Every structure is written in structure tokens, then in C-alpha cells.
Amino acid sequence: LIPDDLSVVAVSTAANPGRPNWPPAEWLDDMDWTFPAVLDGVDLESESYIAADAYGLTAFPFSVLIDDDGTVVRRWSGETEPGELLELITI
């Protein structure tokens, strides 16, 4: 379903032992996540998550489409069905 020339990377952000997706690596394994994943860094000075802030995260789940030039093409929050996602990435 995912085109061969599309890279998908998960960013695990707002990690917290009190949440059901803790620890992130185990949760991703439990969800059978097959794409690369990275843990969001924390800016201790501003007490914020670096990737979440950089891409304008507003709610979970949050998705960002970035083109080959590194330009953010689209952002959205909420779950996305596979057909909807395919439509978004082929526009």
C-alpha cells in the first residue's frame, strides 16, 4: 500500500511512564510497527519536545508529509485510514 519511493518514520514523542504506550520501543513492537522510529528529544530549557515543536504537533496522532526538498506539504492530527493516507500521499 505504501509506495516504494515513500519513506515513513515514526517519532515517538511525549513519552511518559504513565501512558499506555510506555515504553515506546515495546509499544511499537506490540503494534507490529515495521517502519523506522526515533524518540523525540527534550529541550530542558523550554521543557518541550524538539520534533513535536518543530513540526507543529497539535494532538495525537499527528502526521506530517514532507517532500523531497524537505518542505512540509501537509500536517494533520487524528487517525487516518489506509485509503485516506494513500490519497494524501499521491496528490
Side-chain angles (χ1 to χ4, degrees):
L1 181 65
I2 301 292
D4 289 337
D5 61 342
L6 178 70
S7 297
V8 177
V9 178
V11 178
S12 177
T13 191
N16 181 314
R19 295 180 188 209
N21 59 355
W22 182 265
E26 286 181 24
W27 182 78
L28 289 167
D29 281 344
D30 290 345
M31 295 291 111
D32 294 324
W33 187 260
T34 58
F35 300 103
V38 296
L39 183 61
D40 197 354
V42 176
D43 181 335
L44 296 176
E45 202 170 295
S46 66
E47 297 182 357
S48 63
Y49 292 95
I50 297 166
D53 284 355
Y55 288 103
L57 182 133
T58 57
F60 296 102
F62 187 75
S63 301
V64 180
L65 288 179
I66 304 168
D67 69 11
D68 291 339
D69 296 324
T71 302
V72 172
V73 176
R74 184 177 184 128
R75 303 171 223 229
W76 71 93
S77 60
E79 293 187 22
T80 307
E81 295 296 321
E84 291 177 281
L85 182 58
L86 187 58
E87 198 173 296
L88 289 167
I89 61 177
T90 56
I91 294 176

